[in-house]
Amino acid sequence: MAKEFKTFAQLIELLESRGVLIDATTADCLRRESYYAIINGYKDPFLNKGAMTSSSDDVYKDGTSFRNIYNLFLFDRELRQLTFSYLARAEAVLKNAVVYSFCDKYRAPDAYLNRLNYVRSRDMLVPKAYRGNKNYLHAKNLAELLKTLNDRVSNEQHMRPFVRHYLNKYGAVPLWVLQNDLTFGNICHFYQLQNRGVQNAACKLVNQTANREERLEPIVLLRVIQVLVGFRNICAHDERLYCAEVRGAKFSDMYDLLSRVLPADEMRSLLNDLAGLVGTYQGLINQSVLYDVFHEMNIQVQRALGDS
């Protein structure tokens, strides 16, 4: 049975009945933000899990205030904004590397619309742990990708002005023009469906951008793209980030994969930004809670604090 609608006053009453301390700003916060987004999204570190084994309702740790939970909510919002800016940079690098590598091999402007320029199911790149039906996945991903690509250059409802302009002026829209109208997820599927020559070329370009000498294997780049796509979408859709997990990767894993794409100076900048954010919220969020929920990134943050 769905829960009944509650007014702001009733929501505050509910929090108080569960032992959460409120203050004069609680009502204003609830008017600005969703109760569900704040409480259901960020209550976990403040719950008394032991006491909840014998209770049908949430039981909070002694001394928990609404402000504690709200500050964690605000922290996560700023963490998303900060992280998104770096993920957007990585997205640009990865999209450009994949598109450039394809266009360098297939010079025809509309080569990306030709099914023959994609691998067969047996050659599609998948994670090593993949145990699903590869034939089905290949057919599904290729059909969806080709439909998306065709829609972008032929469907008036989906056609962006710059695409229409290029199509009207030159008669065809090359992939290096269309890439700005493709999502990170589109590029992920596109990369999976390329032959090893294109994938190796993309890996080489990514390495050059990141100034890394260690060889980047196509299967590793697939992992990088898939995980970063997931974290990018979390940030873009205002979902909870601090404890998020994408394909088994936590925040620190995302950081490690991001370092395969962005050069060292940008990664140092990210670490310093993370350290600054943690420092800003010290004293606003209980320190043990702050470091417990972010333990995966503690090493990186501490290193950044030491270098700054």
Side-chain angles (χ1 to χ4, degrees), residues 69-233:
I69 304 170
Y70 188 56
N71 280 335
L72 183 56
F73 167 85
L74 293 177
F75 183 102
D76 200 43
R77 171 179 284 170
E78 292 194 46
L79 182 67
R80 284 195 301 272
Q81 293 170 345
L82 186 163
T83 304
F84 183 80
S85 67
Y86 289 92
L87 287 171
R89 301 181 200 183
E91 177 181 353
V93 170
L94 292 166
K95 287 172 72 172
N96 196 55
V98 173
V99 169
Y100 180 94
S101 299
F102 177 86
C103 293
D104 190 37
K105 180 174 177 60
Y106 303 103
R107 298 299 179 94
D110 59 353
Y112 59 93
L113 299 176
N114 187 344
R115 183 181 290 266
L116 296 177
N117 292 332
Y118 298 88
V119 297
R120 291 173 292 181
S121 61
R122 70 182 185 187
D123 297 319
M124 184 178 71
L125 189 64
V126 295
K128 292 180 179 179
Y130 182 74
R131 296 294 181 269
N133 187 323
K134 194 172 178 181
N135 290 331
Y136 171 79
L137 182 66
H138 174 272
K140 175 178 176 293
N141 287 358
L142 181 57
E144 291 178 353
L145 178 64
L146 287 174
K147 182 180 186 305
T148 295
L149 294 171
N150 275 288
D151 279 353
R152 294 294 188 272
V153 297
S154 63
N155 189 322
E156 284 292 329
Q157 290 183 325
H158 296 161
M159 196 180 298
R160 298 280 292 278
F162 71 89
V163 173
R164 184 181 296 108
H165 168 78
Y166 209 93
L167 183 63
N168 292 337
K169 186 170 182 178
Y170 299 103
V173 183
L175 190 61
W176 46 267
V177 171
L178 190 64
Q179 77 179 72
N180 287 335
D181 195 25
L182 299 178
T183 68
F184 203 180
N186 294 154
I187 293 297
C188 182
H189 288 156
F190 187 89
Y191 172 77
Q192 273 189 282
L193 291 161
Q194 292 309 305
N195 63 46
R196 291 297 181 270
V198 171
Q199 291 169 347
N200 282 325
C203 288
K204 185 176 180 180
L205 283 175
V206 172
N207 255 5
Q208 290 172 343
T209 300
N211 295 318
R212 292 178 67 107
E213 296 182 1
E214 177 188 357
R215 176 175 166 78
L216 179 60
E217 298 289 344
I219 192 68
V220 175
L221 185 57
L222 175 62
R223 169 75 173 166
V224 169
I225 296 173
Q226 289 182 328
V227 170
L228 296 190
V229 164
F231 277 103
R232 183 259 184 220
N233 290 341

Side-chain angles (χ1 to χ4, degrees), residues 6 66 199 295:
K6 288 183 172 58
F66 174 81
Q199 291 169 347
H295 67 276

Side-chain angles (χ1 to χ4, degrees), residues 243-287:
C243 60
E245 193 169 309
V246 174
R247 295 177 176 268
K250 297 184 178 181
F251 192 96
S252 60
D253 302 308
M254 183 274 294
Y255 165 85
D256 289 336
L257 295 176
L258 195 60
S259 70
R260 302 301 301 260
V261 181
L262 298 180
D265 61 333
E266 293 188 42
M267 294 308 298
R268 281 194 293 270
S269 177
L270 170 57
L271 291 176
N272 285 325
D273 288 344
L274 284 171
L277 180 59
V278 170
T280 298
Y281 276 83
Q282 284 184 340
L284 297 178
I285 300 175
N286 182 279
Q287 185 168 328

